[in-house]
Amino acid sequence: MKRVGIILSLVFFLISCQSHSERLFRKSEILMDTIVTITVVSDNEKKAEVAIDKAFRELKRLDRLFNAFSPQSEVSDINRKAGEKKVKTAEDTVRLIGYALKIGELTNGAFDITVGAVTGLYDFHNKVVPSMRQIREALRYVDFRRVVIEGDRVYLPEKGMRIDPGGIAKGYAADRAIEILKGEGIKGALVAVAGDIKGYGRKPDGSPWRVGIRDPRGDREDIFAVVELRDEMAISTSGDYERYFIKDGKRYHHIIDPNTGLPAEGLISVSIIGKEGTYTDSLATAVFIMGAEEGKKVAEELGYGVVMVDRKGNISTSESIRGLVKITKSLNRD
Ligand code: ADP
Ligand code: MG
């Protein structure tokens, strides 16, 4: 009798472990100047909803701190007070800028959060290209090594210096949203802040999350690769097709080489895959600027894998992530 009882409880345990009742719950909102989608695995709708809403609240809080287009944000306050005074900031702002400075060092200045003095000169909406003189002038204010962090205070030592968190804030936000979902007891989730995506756990059917990488010269839905995110993993893609315009036959896009003040040339799409969204986001931007050889080397040394596409359509993938990446289409156009 006792044995039967044990067997029965074992059977019950196995059944309750099966994910029949687990489903996906998903919600999208416009945030951080883009679409954010949160997907969670749960067997309880209410629990899923509470967790998703809490994650969105966190993202809104971060957006209020980091949004350089909003005069009320802490980043705008730091920029406004450049050359005047130190600004007391929230812990997340100090952390974000701290990470950015570290990535700046690791990428030899390819990632430079003070590139704002130059990025602010381009107007992608009205197709405005700054003059070489304007660019040269603005480059004087670009140097992440001059940013001062003292405890919870941040200071830009010269008027005209500007922080632009656009190359790292979305990945950082994805990391924080995932932390919130875990804290709410969610076993699996995928957070997509536009092209900065982080997941953990698995889908209800036990399969890993899959993320497509966009064909840099195709339509929005065209992809050339599918990446599996196993365990806890993030992927970020930087491309010259996200924000750009063509003027006099030349493509002007939003990833700026801090050495020249001009859009970086060579690669047209860079995806970085690895543990932290803060790193995948900023490294995607940096590798795009560093170029295939140096970029790949730096990312791999930090434990991150790369999928990159050059202007001829050649795709190159890091050895370490080949098992996760399936190329679904060739991009060579000749
Ligand atoms: P997206 O914003 O499309 O996700 P990225 O993550 O590549 O693309 O970030 C591009 C943004 O990063 C730019 O819009 C700008 O705000 C910022 N940025 C551009 N060049 C640099 C750079 N050299 N270093 C740091 N940030 C940069
Ligand atoms: Mg980026």
Side-chain angles (χ1 to χ4, degrees), residues 111 166-168 196 236-238 280-285:
F111 190 86
I168 189 167
D196 298 295
S236 293
T237 301
S238 284
T280 57
D281 187 4
S282 52
L283 283 175
T285 308

Side-chain angles (χ1 to χ4, degrees), residues 146-180:
R146 298 175 68 198
V147 176
V148 178
I149 300 182
E150 275 171 17
D152 61 357
R153 280 162 213 274
V154 181
Y155 181 51
L156 300 177
E158 194 179 355
K159 193 155 197 61
M161 286 184 78
R162 281 184 72 85
I163 279 177
D164 176 351
I168 189 167
K170 296 204 287 294
Y172 181 89
D175 285 339
R176 295 292 81 77
I178 290 286
E179 261 179 27
I180 296 282

